[in-house]
Amino acid sequence: MKSHFRSLTIAIVMTSFIPVAPTLAADEEVNVYSSRKEELIKPLFDRFTEQTGITVNLVTAKAGALLERLQREGANSPADLLITVDAGNLHRAKAAGVTQPMRSDTLTEAVPESYRDPQGHWVGLTVRARPILYVKDKVDPASLSTYEALADPAFKDSICIRSSDNIYNQSLVASMIATHGVEATETWAKGLVANLARSPKGGDRDQIKAAAAGECSLAIANTYYLAGMLTGESENDRKTAEQLAVFWPNQDGRGAHVNVSGAALTAAAKNQEAAIALVEFLANPESQAWYAETNGEYPVRTDVPPSQTLAAWGEFKADSLNLARLGELNAEAVKLMDRAGWR
């Protein structure tokens, strides 16, 4: 299946949320461990509680810390749901044995197969694209084509990208392995490293800022960071982000690399029915529209358009690889990046 994101403008009307069927007791609760910041998800939890009477208890922390906590707590964990970013992190939770299949016809219908774990251990809730960003007055977009082409010597001293310990980059490399195999991907990674304008450091916003400051002319970053800078309160961030444009690579082939934020039902879940109802709520069209507008991410549903900011970057073809492969190939990707000198 190939994914296409339509360039549509939408208005978000929070009062139009579809009610959740009141089949659960009003005194039920759902305990959520989330690596997403509270402000990016709690408004939806509050809306869910308003409609169902089900209390959502939220604990936020880094993805790694939450996984360690779930492993330490074992069967005694109070958590019903794990919400985290990147298919690599979702796979790590599955591999650690702290999740279980989440069976829901609603989610099967709403979320494309490539954004769901084949065994049902997790489901994507938002889509995150990781294209090539370029400095408008320094790069002719006609010179860009694919991720693979970034290893060409023509791009020497041109590229900013964060370190190999970042799971977003690990997943990008894993997608390359899935397409080209280990040997070809390692050759590509060595070429990419040779073309870096500086040693990898900082987060995605730092790559955008470095490009705007003239340290490089190309940056690899998730689009929601650029969207956040364009729509945020900081005038400096807006001016910085406005210097860059989005190029969608591999449009004549497999498509641009994408990933997800997603949810998994914990192995220790005591409130399974309420937990699945919450995930179904997060996947409904209105919640998806709110995500798109507020977080600058793409809806996981194909029937919900992106925000105006993202739509302005145009339609693109997304890689249809099942994202479970990103987690399965993560260890190989990390070893490959180390061999390639990607620090």
Side-chain angles (χ1 to χ4, degrees):
M1 181 184 71
K2 295 181 179 179
S3 300
H4 297 264
F5 293 99
R6 295 164 294 173
S7 298
L8 300 175
T9 301
I10 58 175
I12 309 303
V13 183
M14 289 297 295
T15 56
S16 67
F17 273 75
I18 295 174
V20 175
T23 59
L24 302 171
D27 60 350
E28 287 200 44
E29 65 179 10
V30 181
N31 299 312
V32 179
Y33 285 2
S34 174
S35 70
R36 307 226 64 179
K37 294 180 180 179
E38 182 173 332
E39 63 267 24
L40 297 182
I41 199 164
K42 191 175 184 300
L44 289 176
F45 291 170
D46 292 342
R47 177 66 60 162
F48 175 76
T49 298
E50 289 174 10
Q51 293 191 11
T52 65
I54 300 170
T55 300
V56 180
N57 303 311
L58 177 63
V59 173
T60 60
K62 297 289 187 181
L66 291 175
L67 177 54
E68 290 176 6
R69 179 169 178 171
L70 285 168
Q71 290 176 292
R72 184 174 64 253
E73 293 171 341
N76 295 319
S77 176
D80 300 303
L81 284 177
L82 171 67
I83 294 180
T84 191
V85 297
D86 201 280
N89 284 324
L90 290 161
H91 176 80
R92 288 175 182 175
K94 175 185 175 182
V98 300
T99 65
Q100 63 174 304
M102 180 166 42
R103 310 202 184 281
S104 165
D105 292 339
T106 297
L107 293 174
T108 299
E109 181 179 351
V111 182
E113 183 179 5
S114 60
Y115 303 145
R116 290 184 274 115
D117 175 66
Q119 285 75 50
H121 279 255
W122 55 262
V123 61
L125 293 174
T126 63
V127 175
R128 320 167 121 221
R130 194 165 184 78
I132 300 169
L133 308 182
Y134 65 94
V135 179
K136 296 175 184 177
D137 62 0
K138 290 186 177 180
V139 177
D140 180 356
S143 68
L144 303 173
S145 57
T146 63
Y147 296 108
E148 290 82 350
L150 295 178
D152 191 295
F155 292 108
K156 188 171 179 59
D157 297 325
S158 297
I159 302 167
C160 285
I161 193 168
R162 63 200 292 180
S163 71
S164 62
D165 65 4
N166 171 246
I167 199 162
Y168 304 157
N169 285 337
Q170 293 169 7
S171 290
L172 172 61
V173 173
S175 76
M176 300 283 287
I177 294 173
T179 300
H180 301 296
V182 172
E183 184 177 352
T185 301
E186 186 169 341
T187 298
W188 168 80
K190 289 177 178 177
L192 179 75
V193 169
N195 288 339
L196 297 183
R198 63 176 193 169
S199 297
K201 59 182 178 179
D204 278 14
R205 285 175 181 257
D206 295 303
Q207 314 313 312
I208 295 169
K209 291 176 181 179
E215 294 185 54
C216 51
S217 55
L218 303 174
I220 307 299
N222 288 353
T223 51
Y224 60 85
Y225 289 106
L226 185 66
M229 294 174 72
L230 287 170
T231 60
E233 297 180 358
S234 170
E235 183 178 357
N236 287 337
D237 278 358
R238 287 196 297 274
K239 289 181 177 179
T240 295
E242 287 169 356
Q243 296 182 54
L244 277 71
V246 174
F247 180 83
W248 299 112
N250 297 77
Q251 295 302 283
D252 293 329
R254 61 191 173 97
H257 173 64
V258 295
N259 210 313
V260 290
S261 71
L265 184 67
T266 68
K270 312 298 190 299
N271 304 293
Q272 294 189 25
E273 187 178 356
I276 293 173
L278 174 57
V279 179
E280 291 174 343
F281 175 83
L282 296 175
N284 76 30
E286 287 70 31
S287 295
Q288 289 284 296
W290 186 89
Y291 263 134
E293 185 69 23
T294 304
N295 297 352
E297 295 172 293
Y298 289 90
V300 74
R301 297 180 63 115
T302 59
D303 59 348
V304 176
S307 69
Q308 183 175 358
T309 300
L310 274 63
W313 296 330
E315 298 179 357
F316 75 95
K317 175 183 175 183
D319 192 343
S320 61
L321 176 72
N322 187 291
L323 298 186
R325 291 291 288 152
L326 305 183
E328 294 164 359
L329 293 169
N330 178 269
E332 190 64 59
V334 172
K335 290 186 289 186
L336 184 156
M337 295 167 85
D338 186 58
R339 292 195 301 269
W342 189 330
R343 302 293 181 243

